[in-house]
Amino acid sequence: MMLNLKKKKFGLNALLRRFRANTKGVAAVEFAFIVPILITMSMGVSEVWFRYSASDQFTRYIFQVGDLLARETELETSDITLLHSRASTMMQEVETHQLIEINVASIGFKQSDGTPVTLWTRSVGGNVITFDPTEATGMALSSNAILRVEGRFQYRSPFALILPQLTSATRRAVYFKPRETRALAIDGNVAEQNTNWDDANE
């Protein structure tokens, strides 16, 4: 009876030794641990690149909109709407559908003291974007005007289907001096607000 127990104990030890010596499944276990880390790192690097690319192209888009509008002698609201609708073409490889808002405004500088005031403003693509015209103080001489273009871009990551929180908002505001005229008119009006901006007696 004792002999049988010893044999069984010896057989169990041998089995454990063989199990420890068998490394056939080690690679599979290591692979299972490493793959999630590699996937996470790859997604992180890709996300950084996507965000940088989207932000860079959005900035270029806002500058292009301002440059194109500043070249005109007079504007219409439809001109701004058209440029907004062309965002997907001007921002290549970036999903822009219903994610971009732009605001275009003319800021005049009073003849009396050079204080900047809003002459007209147009917002396209979402909520009305408001701003403080005094942020343009010192950007032009009295009785002149500049064009202000602001854009807001709601970035949505390609991985948002997996992680919905991968979204962010980007805002850019740029200023341009009209190329051909002292102040750009919109829909036939140089000033819809502060109509006496260039009157020294105001």
Side-chain angles (χ1 to χ4, degrees):
M1 187 70 176
M2 292 295 294
L3 182 62
N4 289 337
L5 288 174
K6 287 181 180 180
K7 284 183 178 179
K8 288 181 179 179
K9 184 176 181 181
F10 175 78
L12 180 60
N13 288 336
L15 180 64
L16 290 174
R17 283 197 299 272
R18 287 198 300 272
F19 178 77
R20 287 195 297 267
N22 189 342
T23 59
K24 292 180 180 178
V26 171
V29 173
E30 291 177 346
F31 182 77
F33 278 111
I34 292 174
V35 165
I37 297 174
L38 292 177
I39 291 175
T40 301
M41 290 177 61
S42 298
M43 287 180 62
V45 171
S46 299
E47 176 64 12
V48 169
W49 186 87
F50 286 137
R51 282 179 183 255
Y52 173 80
S53 178
S55 177
D56 180 63
Q57 292 202 43
F58 174 65
T59 300
R60 291 172 182 267
Y61 166 71
I62 294 301
F63 272 93
Q64 288 175 337
V65 169
D67 182 58
L68 289 171
L69 294 177
R71 294 170 184 265
E72 301 297 322
T73 56
E74 186 173 341
L75 298 175
E76 294 182 1
T77 302
S78 58
D79 297 326
I80 301 170
T81 304
L82 178 63
L83 289 173
H84 177 266
S85 69
R86 295 292 186 268
S88 59
T89 303
M90 299 168 73
M91 293 176 61
Q92 297 179 4
E93 300 179 4
V94 177
E95 176 58 47
T96 60
H97 181 60
Q98 295 183 346
L99 299 177
I100 288 182
E101 302 172 11
I102 60 174
N103 171 273
V104 180
S106 178
I107 300 176
F109 295 80
K110 290 184 178 181
Q111 184 177 351
S112 56
D113 57 7
T115 301
V117 293
T118 302
L119 303 182
W120 55 261
T121 182
R122 296 288 188 278
S123 291
V124 182
N127 297 325
V128 175
I129 298 176
T130 59
F131 66 95
D132 182 2
T134 60
E135 67 188 36
T137 299
M139 290 188 180
L141 299 175
S142 300
S143 296
N144 284 272
I146 60 174
L147 196 66
R148 181 186 189 275
V149 179
E150 179 181 348
R152 293 180 183 175
F153 175 44
Q154 186 69 32
Y155 168 78
R156 182 180 297 159
S157 169
F159 303 117
L161 292 176
I162 303 172
L163 298 171
Q165 65 270 27
L166 291 180
T167 60
S168 63
T170 301
R171 173 181 174 178
R172 296 285 186 274
V174 294
Y175 298 85
F176 290 85
K177 182 173 176 26
R179 307 282 182 84
E180 304 294 337
T181 182
R182 180 171 61 93
L184 275 168
I186 186 80
D187 299 327
N189 297 313
V190 170
E192 295 178 341
Q193 309 168 39
N194 299 292
T195 54
N196 296 323
W197 66 284
D198 59 349
D199 184 354
N201 297 320
E202 182 183 1

